Amino acid sequence: MTKKTISGRPIIAPSLLSADFLRLEEEVKAAEAAGAGLHHVDVMDGRFVPNITIGPFVVEAIKKAASIPLDVHLMIEEPERYLEDFITAGADYLTVHAEATIHLDRVLNRIRELGALSGVSINPSTPVSSLENVLYAADMVLIMSVNPGFGGQAFIPNSLNKTKELKAAIKKAGSKTIIEVDGGIKPGNAAQVVKAGADVLVMGSAFYNSGNYKKTVEEVMRSVSGKRR
Ligand code: DX5
Ligand code: ZN
């Protein structure tokens, strides 16, 4: 598997959870044409979160249609059991939840060993300080700005404080970890999230339900220009 790099800030990562699954290939291509930098793929197991979504076979199909990297967000218990399956299926970034595994350090290092970029996500109730000892092993930290499980929920304002705190912790650690924020992001609040320190903005419903993907990306880019750190 080749690691693809992403450039430009902020990166928009449309969440395919809100795409039309009957037209997945077209949706993937339309997101890319609109300026997406990553495809965010939400994997849910009905245990870690109440919802069930997709598995490695669908990730493999998305990979065939995609020309930009896949950002696979595992909202599953014991993610260590499935790292290889999702990386083989085409995950470029593979993100696990800190709350879902006992041996987080081992899991993050294993993701890198398997050739992908490692990500760790924390729920709204999990403190940023819990990641202090694993920042060195994480290419990305994903701050959940809603309680995971569903698209279309409202952004939790405290996520901005957590993003700022994480940005400071990464700086202090001298690490190259990038920050992704996921849940309730739309053109109206994207600038605040970027100002707080986000490198990657996940957008599900606000992107795929917008009717005009290109215009949505342009709106976000316009709102954040001049507000970057
Ligand atoms: C929620 C998922 C998100 C979701 C975002 O559990 O992790 O990626 O799809 O959707 P919006 O942008 O609609 O909140
Ligand atoms: Zn997600």
Side-chain angles (χ1 to χ4, degrees):
M1 204 209 69
T2 49
K3 276 190 200 177
K4 291 184 195 167
T5 50
I6 43 173
S7 57
R9 293 286 187 278
I11 292 147
I12 311 269
S15 165
L16 284 161
L17 189 61
S18 293
D20 179 350
F21 273 50
L22 270 183
R23 301 169 37 252
L24 215 40
E25 184 173 4
E26 279 170 62
E27 293 279 62
V28 161
K29 292 194 161 44
E32 292 175 7
L38 289 170
H39 292 294
H40 186 81
V41 184
D42 287 308
V43 175
M44 307 187 187
D45 66 352
R47 287 186 65 216
F48 182 70
V49 288
N51 206 0
I52 298 178
T53 56
I54 63 167
F57 294 144
V58 178
V59 172
E60 205 177 326
I62 295 167
K63 187 69 179 178
K64 285 185 190 144
S67 332
I68 59 172
L70 301 190
D71 167 32
V72 177
H73 178 191
L74 298 183
M75 285 159 277
I76 65 175
E77 292 284 357
E78 297 179 63
E80 55 274 13
R81 296 171 59 203
Y82 296 98
L83 304 178
E84 206 160 344
D85 289 352
F86 282 100
I87 291 168
T88 305
D92 293 279
Y93 279 93
L94 188 63
T95 297
V96 300
H97 266 263
E99 306 87 355
T101 183
I102 295 171
H103 299 291
L104 182 58
D105 178 88
R106 178 186 289 152
V107 172
L108 293 173
N109 282 301
R110 182 73 185 136
I111 292 171
R112 284 180 171 174
E113 265 173 39
L114 290 167
L117 293 155
S118 60
V120 54
S121 180
I122 49 171
N123 284 335
S125 60
T126 303
V128 168
S129 57
S130 64
L131 297 178
E132 196 184 328
N133 296 321
V134 291
L135 281 182
Y136 84 96
D139 294 300
M140 176 192 274
V141 172
L142 190 172
I143 301 267
M144 280 308 307
S145 42
V146 297
N147 286 294
F150 304 95
Q153 304 180 80
F155 185 86
I156 298 173
N158 185 48
S159 313
L160 294 173
N161 298 327
K162 290 179 73 177
T163 305
K164 285 180 202 160
E165 191 187 336
L166 175 62
K167 182 87 182 170
I170 289 171
K171 199 172 166 198
K172 191 171 162 223
S175 140
K176 289 195 172 70
T177 310
I178 63 170
I179 304 177
E180 177 172 54
V181 181
D182 181 9
I185 300 181
K186 45 190 188 235
N189 61 15
Q192 279 180 295
V193 182
V194 171
K195 192 166 175 246
D199 302 295
V200 183
L201 303 176
V202 176
M203 287 177 74
S205 51
F207 182 89
Y208 279 109
N209 299 343
S210 70
N212 189 334
Y213 304 163
K214 204 166 188 317
K215 194 167 151 240
T216 306
V217 171
E218 281 166 8
E219 271 173 36
V220 171
M221 291 304 183
R222 210 177 310 125
S223 78
V224 304
S225 62
K227 294 191 181 163
R228 285 178 222 162
R229 282 195 151 181

